Amino acid sequence: MTNEMTAWTATELQDALNSASSDTGVKCQQLGDTNVLEVTLSEAGDFVLHVNVGETQILTSAVLWARDEQADPDAFEAMMLRSHKSLLPLCALSIDQIDGREYYELFGAMSCQTPIDDVLNEFTSIAQSALELASDIGPGKTQSGDAS
């Protein structure tokens, strides 16, 4: 018996997610003729993730908020660099350009051979981390400069 699993393609992952949707509340659609999926998690308030299915990894991202909406972006970024491991142990934070504007984005990566239950757990984890981050230290929140 082998534990080897074939790698997901975007279409196969979309089909698996939509098949599980009645149990999980996940809706998935492929964006055009690309390897990018838009995944909506109803249990997380219809939170939207973008998922790129590559040859070896699945990259999941959640756009948070525009950098210019953060009261003090430099202080926020310094605090995140100092406390990232405790605040977001399974995710990473980046700054990305979308339509000429900088946004904070939370992302994670996993193998294309990850079982569907673990894929769903990763999606849920990223969505929960994004929602908690926005609630705790997003725009309009004050940062102490030290997250304990």
Side-chain angles (χ1 to χ4, degrees):
M1 183 178 285
T2 179
N3 288 333
E4 197 171 308
M5 184 179 158
T6 58
W8 292 109
T9 65
T11 302
E12 291 167 343
L13 184 56
Q14 175 187 359
D15 291 345
L17 291 168
N18 286 330
S19 292
S21 68
S22 61
D23 296 331
T24 62
V26 171
K27 296 177 198 148
C28 180
Q29 66 178 11
Q30 196 163 358
L31 297 180
D33 200 18
T34 67
N35 290 330
V36 178
L37 305 175
E38 183 177 85
V39 177
T40 304
L41 305 171
S42 63
E43 291 180 5
D46 287 336
F47 194 85
V48 175
L49 299 170
H50 288 95
V51 178
N52 185 329
V53 183
E55 288 184 28
T56 60
Q57 70 178 6
I58 299 169
L59 183 65
T60 306
S61 67
V63 176
L64 300 177
W65 57 85
R67 185 174 186 265
D68 59 21
E69 292 175 3
Q70 191 66 43
D72 185 347
D74 292 333
F76 172 75
E77 293 157 17
M79 184 274 304
M80 288 304 298
L81 284 171
R82 289 184 183 92
S83 59
H84 185 270
K85 286 190 266 183
S86 62
L87 290 176
L88 305 169
L90 301 176
C91 307
L93 184 70
S94 65
I95 300 171
D96 295 297
Q97 289 264 343
I98 301 172
D99 295 329
R101 192 171 177 198
E102 290 185 326
Y103 285 82
Y104 293 112
E105 187 172 356
L106 200 59
F107 67 96
M110 64 189 120
S111 166
C112 277
Q113 296 181 342
T114 301
I116 192 65
D117 288 343
D118 293 340
V119 170
L120 288 165
N121 286 336
E122 175 79 6
F123 291 170
T124 300
S125 175
I126 289 176
Q128 288 174 343
S129 292
L131 292 170
E132 288 172 13
L133 188 65
S135 173
D136 294 346
I137 57 178
K141 308 294 181 187
T142 56
Q143 285 89 51
S144 64
D146 177 50
S148 303

